Structures are given as structure tokens and as C-alpha cells.
Amino acid sequence: TQLLEQSPQFLSIQEGENLTVYCNSSSVFSSLQWYRQEPGEGPVLLVTVVTGGEVKKLKRLTFQFGDARKDSSLHITAAQPGDTGLYLCAGARGAQKLVFGQGTRLTINP
Amino acid sequence: DTAVSQTPKYLVTQMGNDKSIKCEQNLGHDTMYWYKQDSKKFLKIMFSYNNKELIINETVPNRFSPKSPDKAHLNLHINSLELGDSAVYFCASSGSPRSYEQYFGPGTRLTVT
């Protein structure tokens, strides 16, 4: 059973377009993180959201944690080729363990 | 300076062999982890150590044995390698077990033939 479902799994769009990636669960998480992973490298933490309804912005990226702390979204405005990568959401259940979603592979075409 | 480093980057070996992967972090973190990422990019925790003590063991076969000589190092030894062990293995660290933020190494791609 996959605790965290990400959608879409694959997304290919043109440079300049906007996009939203979703991370959904039936479970409540104490916090949720978003990572980006590039080929041949480890995941790199982008943001952590902790409070239900919390919104964080990182330049053109906007992250939101659902009110019930079961879901999250990542919105990218005016996507650029440098945004290409695998985006992973991860939920913290208790203090010690992160559960990862299966990832969204994003390709931004010039 | 590399925060979390792993060696080797690539490891190709035959079934039945024993191999080790090493991990070191220079962040001063107390907690280290091993993850396995399969061909579908699904990342799953295997082990977690806090100050050299095992705190998470996620039903991993006994052929996998982590060892932490000190809190800056967490090595992974795998006995009797099987085809299904082929994956990318990531080491990570965090400030404490209660820290949500984990820092990952570059990964070790293990191929068992």
C-alpha cells in the first residue's frame, strides 16, 4: 500500500507554462517535505511544511500543505528547463521516519 | 566540501558475492539513514542510526547489515547478493531523529549480475 500518492507521475510541458503536482494520502502527517532529484544525484530538500494550510514560496515554486495535513501541492509558475527533475514528496509520521511518494518526473522543454 | 559522501558510486558484482558501501557525513548530524531506490524511483527507508545505535530496521533481509563505527559514518554490508538487490542505495543524515530535514548522499548504483 502506497501511503503517499503523487500525481501526475510524468509531466512534460513547454517552457513558460505553469504546472501543479499533487501529493495525496489518507493518513495525517506531522510534516511534509518536497525534494528534487536530478539524474545520478541524491534528493535535495526544497521545503518543509508543518502547519495545516501552510503556504511556502521558493522563487517560482509555491508549496501548500492541506488543512487536514493529508495532502500537499507544488505549483511552479513560468517553468524553466532548469526545473526538470524528479520531484518527491515525503511525509513524516512520528519523529523518525519519512515515507516517500513515488515521484513526479517533470520535463520542461525549451 | 561534500556534506554526505558515499563510496563507491557504482558497484557491479555477481550473485552470491559480499559487498560493502560506505557513507560519511561532515554535517555534525546525530542521525544517519540508508534508503533503497528501485527502478521505478520509489525511495524506501532501510535503516536509521542515532549516535551509533540502530533505531529503525524496516524488515530488511538479514543479509543486509549496517554498521556505524561513529556517528559520522554508517556503512552497509550486504552478504550473498541477489539479483533483486540491484538498486540505487542512498545514505542520508539529519540533525536528530526528530529533525524532518534529511540530507542525502549522491547514491551508490548497485548492479548484481
Side-chain angles (χ1 to χ4, degrees), chain A residues 1-75:
Chain A
T1 301
Q2 180 64 40
L3 282 180
L4 278 170
E5 295 283 347
Q6 287 188 240
S7 61
Q9 291 191 36
F10 299 92
L11 183 60
S12 180
I13 63 171
Q14 293 300 119
E15 182 176 0
E17 294 183 1
N18 302 331
L19 66 105
T20 302
V21 174
Y22 299 93
C23 177
N24 295 305
S25 176
S26 58
S27 302
V28 176
F29 292 97
S30 54
S31 73
L32 197 135
Q33 299 181 337
W34 285 92
Y35 290 80
R36 184 170 78 194
Q37 184 179 11
E38 301 194 18
E41 299 181 9
V44 175
L45 179 66
L46 296 174
V47 77
T48 300
V49 285
V50 179
T51 307
E54 182 176 3
V55 176
K56 282 192 174 178
K57 291 192 174 185
L58 186 65
K59 297 183 180 179
R60 294 175 293 100
L61 279 60
T62 301
F63 304 85
Q64 184 163 6
F65 202 10
D67 291 341
R69 291 185 290 130
K70 292 182 179 181
D71 53 80
S72 181
S73 64
L74 158 60
H75 182 79

Side-chain angles (χ1 to χ4, degrees), chain A residues 58-108:
Chain A
L58 186 65
K59 297 183 180 179
R60 294 175 293 100
L61 279 60
T62 301
F63 304 85
Q64 184 163 6
F65 202 10
D67 291 341
R69 291 185 290 130
K70 292 182 179 181
D71 53 80
S72 181
S73 64
L74 158 60
H75 182 79
I76 301 179
T77 303
Q80 298 178 2
D83 296 327
T84 293
L86 177 69
Y87 287 81
L88 297 161
C89 66
R93 302 193 73 199
Q96 298 172 347
K97 188 167 71 172
L98 282 181
V99 175
F100 281 82
Q102 78 273 42
T104 293
R105 189 177 298 281
L106 176 64
T107 302
I108 309 300

Side-chain angles (χ1 to χ4, degrees), chain B residues 24-41:
Chain B
E24 176 180 2
Q25 55 94 3
N26 62 8
L27 297 168
H29 286 168
D30 290 336
T31 308
M32 296 184 72
Y33 309 82
W34 277 111
Y35 286 86
K36 180 180 180 180
Q37 188 172 45
D38 62 23
S39 58
K40 294 184 178 181
K41 302 301 182 184

Side-chain angles (χ1 to χ4, degrees), chain B residues 52-104:
Chain B
K52 302 191 298 177
E53 290 190 17
L54 180 66
I55 54 174
I56 294 176
N57 183 340
E58 285 289 302
T59 60
V60 177
N62 291 336
R63 299 182 295 104
F64 291 78
S65 54
K67 284 187 172 56
S68 182
D70 55 64
K71 72 175 190 177
H73 295 84
L74 180 62
N75 304 322
L76 183 65
H77 187 75
I78 315 171
N79 289 326
S80 303
L81 278 155
E82 300 178 357
L83 292 177
D85 297 332
S86 295
V88 181
Y89 292 84
F90 286 99
C91 176
S93 71
S94 65
S96 75
R98 281 182 290 281
S99 172
Y100 303 130
E101 300 182 350
Q102 296 186 11
Y103 296 81
F104 284 81

